[in-house]
Amino acid sequence: ASMFSPQVSKVAGESIGLWWNAFKGSYGAVQLGTQYSHISLDAFTTTNGDKPHTFDNMFYTSVRYFPFN
């Protein structure tokens, strides 16, 4: 393992999400949301010939309450 971080050559990300109006009444409204994101990172080739690559998949959820809306 090396003692330094490789130089980044490319970072890419994609994301998709949606909102759903779950409830609306006299006391307010509730919205539910979800989102998926994918991030990838590529580095330049190191002096020993390695080409580091990593990625991350993320999934988010959200609940929103809007009082007396």
Side-chain angles (χ1 to χ4, degrees):
S2 66
M3 298 183 57
F4 61 92
S5 296
Q7 297 293 321
V8 175
S9 68
K10 181 176 76 171
V11 175
E14 301 84 28
S15 180
I16 188 168
L18 59 94
W19 284 100
W20 177 51
N21 294 320
F23 174 79
K24 186 165 184 158
S26 58
Y27 287 104
V30 175
Q31 289 183 347
L32 304 174
T34 185
Q35 180 178 343
Y36 168 77
S37 294
H38 174 84
I39 304 293
S40 64
L41 182 141
D42 291 322
F44 289 106
T45 304
T46 62
T47 56
N48 63 358
D50 293 338
K51 185 167 172 83
H53 170 79
T54 189
F55 67 91
D56 195 7
N57 294 302
M58 297 159 280
F59 184 75
Y60 304 98
T61 59
S62 181
V63 176
R64 290 184 177 181
Y65 172 65
F66 299 96
F68 308 107
N69 207 3

